[in-house]
Amino acid sequence: MIKGYKENIYIWLLFASAIFIYIVSTLSSFHKPMLADEVETAAAVAAHSLSSLKDPNIAAWSNTFEQLGINYRLFTVYLYAIAFKIFGFTAESGRLVGVLLFFATLILIYKTTTCIFKDKISKQGIGLIACSLYAINPFVVQVSSMVVEANAVAFTSSLFMYAFLKTCKISNIKNLILAGMLLGLVLLTKFTIFPFLILPILIPSIIDKGFKKGIYAVSVISIIGIFLFLLIWGLYSNVMNIPFHVPFMRYKEIVFLPSSGLYKQIFELTFSTIVAVLWESPFFILLGILATGTRIKEFLCTRTIVLVDFLIVYI
């Protein structure tokens, strides 16, 4: 009992320290001027969605909004638009959204982790450790204090994954519709993330339900999510007089890219991956390798696939 109590104290101290580091790091950049990317996104969003802002300097960005191709990301657009409407068009207003989304995502990470490790006695401790690692990730710390869409993507994706894990055991139509609606919300945040969400939900579905039922559940969720996105975007694009094909241009560029452009895309993808790996630091990479190695050893002994195995998709 005493040993378990001490371990809980250490975990809580770790979590409190991580949150303290995050808050100090965020406050140090909270009042700094926006970076170029932030200015483009924030001003374009404001010009497009806030007709009450008559500042000509902001209105001039309305064309940029179309050029950035973010006009279909309705959840992101209007989340920041509400903040600008209430608190004014300032860097602090936009960054407040990112910080609030960070803490909301942190709660979802804890809930998701305890759901995955629900059979473990120390599931709360595992959840707090997961939150601590997320809170001190250099990439997360920087991006959460910026006016960028990544914050909304992290929140909606985490919400979808948590809801899916909570409802995947019972695949009644109510749960499938709920998961599909949340997938639609993710797509309204960033449509191109769709392929990266299918694999993480497909693996545990097949493991838990078998191949046919797993494919069926994921197919229903995907159809509902895509239908909801197309319905909302279709109505919105018609009212706002925006070309309907905008969200799909990125896929068109990838599929029909000339060979020279393809090599450039491969190079940029490789370079950005290397930068991301270095940015996340060897410490986090080492944790991922150790966790994967431990799980592989367990699998070789038991020859049993469990729900937690789908986490390898995120490593």
Side-chain angles (χ1 to χ4, degrees):
M1 180 67 71
I2 294 176
K3 182 180 179 181
Y5 175 77
K6 287 184 177 179
E7 289 176 350
N8 287 335
I9 290 295
Y10 293 146
I11 292 174
W12 276 104
L13 286 175
L14 172 66
F15 175 70
S17 300
I19 295 300
F20 177 77
I21 292 172
Y22 170 79
I23 292 175
V24 171
S25 302
T26 302
L27 288 177
S28 65
S29 59
F30 200 75
H31 299 287
K32 290 182 179 179
M34 289 185 184
L35 299 176
D37 292 344
E38 293 181 276
V39 172
E40 286 186 348
T41 302
V45 167
H48 178 80
S49 55
L50 297 179
S51 58
S52 60
L53 290 178
K54 301 300 183 182
D55 189 330
N57 294 323
I58 294 177
W61 288 89
S62 57
N63 293 331
T64 306
F65 184 83
E66 304 294 333
Q67 296 169 8
L68 289 175
I70 60 176
N71 43 10
Y72 72 91
R73 301 169 187 178
L74 303 184
F75 181 79
T76 304
V77 168
Y78 283 98
L79 197 61
Y80 282 111
I82 291 171
F84 292 146
K85 180 77 171 181
I86 297 174
F87 302 108
F89 186 70
T90 64
E92 291 81 359
S93 300
R95 287 171 181 163
L96 178 62
V97 173
V99 172
L100 293 177
L101 287 174
F102 163 81
F103 282 106
T105 304
L106 205 64
I107 294 172
L108 290 169
I109 289 174
Y110 176 81
K111 300 291 289 184
T112 302
T113 306
T114 54
C115 179
I116 292 173
F117 295 96
K118 60 183 178 180
D119 296 327
K120 299 285 187 179
I121 298 176
S122 57
K123 62 180 181 179
Q124 288 83 5
I126 297 174
L128 290 174
I129 291 174
C131 291
S132 301
L133 293 175
Y134 183 78
I136 60 174
N137 186 312
F139 179 78
V140 173
V141 173
Q142 183 186 43
V143 169
S144 66
S145 58
M146 295 176 64
V147 184
V148 291
E149 67 174 11
N151 300 307
V153 172
F155 169 72
T156 54
S157 300
S158 299
L159 179 62
F160 168 71
M161 291 305 303
Y162 173 64
F164 173 77
L165 288 173
K166 289 290 289 184
T167 60
C168 68
K169 289 291 183 181
I170 306 175
S171 293
N172 56 42
I173 191 64
K174 179 181 178 181
N175 288 340
L176 293 178
I177 291 175
L178 174 61
M181 291 175 65
L182 290 176
L183 177 60
L185 179 64
V186 178
L187 299 183
L188 287 170
T189 306
K190 188 171 184 178
F191 181 75
T192 52
I193 199 176
F194 176 74
F196 302 99
L197 287 177
I198 293 302
L199 187 58
I201 69 173
L202 183 61
I203 294 175
S205 293
I206 293 176
I207 292 172
D208 188 59
K209 310 177 192 307
F211 184 79
K212 288 185 178 180
K213 291 184 178 179
I215 293 293
Y216 167 77
V218 173
S219 298
V220 172
I221 292 172
S222 301
I223 291 171
I224 293 174
I226 293 175
F227 174 77
L228 184 63
F229 168 79
L230 293 176
L231 177 63
I232 295 176
W233 169 245
L235 294 173
Y236 183 84
S237 62
N238 183 60
V239 172
M240 301 298 291
N241 196 27
I242 301 173
F244 179 80
H245 64 267
V246 168
F248 317 106
M249 290 304 295
R250 180 60 177 171
Y251 286 133
K252 180 181 177 181
E253 292 174 3
I254 294 174
V255 174
F256 298 102
L257 208 59
S259 58
S260 58
L262 179 61
Y263 295 141
K264 180 181 178 182
Q265 287 288 329
I266 293 174
F267 172 78
E268 291 179 352
L269 178 61
T270 304
F271 179 76
S272 61
T273 301
I274 294 173
V275 170
V277 169
L278 294 176
W279 188 251
E280 290 183 358
S281 81
F283 172 70
F284 292 101
I285 298 171
L286 178 61
L287 285 175
I289 294 174
L290 291 175
T292 304
T294 301
R295 179 59 198 132
I296 290 175
K297 288 181 180 179
E298 293 178 356
F299 172 76
L300 292 176
C301 293
T302 62
R303 300 291 180 176
T304 303
I305 298 176
V306 295
L307 188 60
V308 71
D309 290 336
F310 94 99
L311 289 177
I312 196 172
V313 177
Y314 293 104
I315 296 178

